[in-house]
Amino acid sequence: MYFDSLEALLAMEGHGPYVWAAYGITLLVLALLLSAPGRRRRRLLREVRGELRREAAHGSKEAVHAPGS
């Protein structure tokens, strides 16, 4: 192994905070990119459901008030 201990691995001769922060930011960005399509899909389905409910409610009101009924 390159490092004698876990502490040496984390410190990386003073460069550890920068290296681990870069890894953390990269993992965060990847997680956000991978989860974005699922969040977008859920939001779209919620919007479509709401639109269908509004159309159904609007349609039932029109049926009640339709001329000739």
Side-chain angles (χ1 to χ4, degrees):
M1 240 178 114
Y2 296 111
F3 300 100
D4 297 330
S5 66
L6 181 60
E7 184 179 334
L9 173 68
L10 295 175
M12 290 189 177
E13 297 178 3
H15 300 289
Y18 305 107
V19 171
W20 296 115
Y23 276 120
I25 291 169
T26 301
L27 289 175
L28 176 66
V29 168
L30 286 173
L32 291 172
L33 287 172
L34 290 173
S35 66
R39 290 191 322 259
R40 195 175 306 126
R41 179 179 184 268
R42 282 191 298 275
R43 185 179 62 227
L44 177 62
L45 289 174
R46 188 172 48 244
E47 289 174 5
V48 168
R49 259 189 250 116
E51 190 173 323
L52 289 174
R53 280 191 206 118
R54 283 189 296 276
E55 287 178 6
H58 186 67
S60 64
K61 287 179 186 176
E62 286 181 357
V64 172
H65 299 295
S69 2

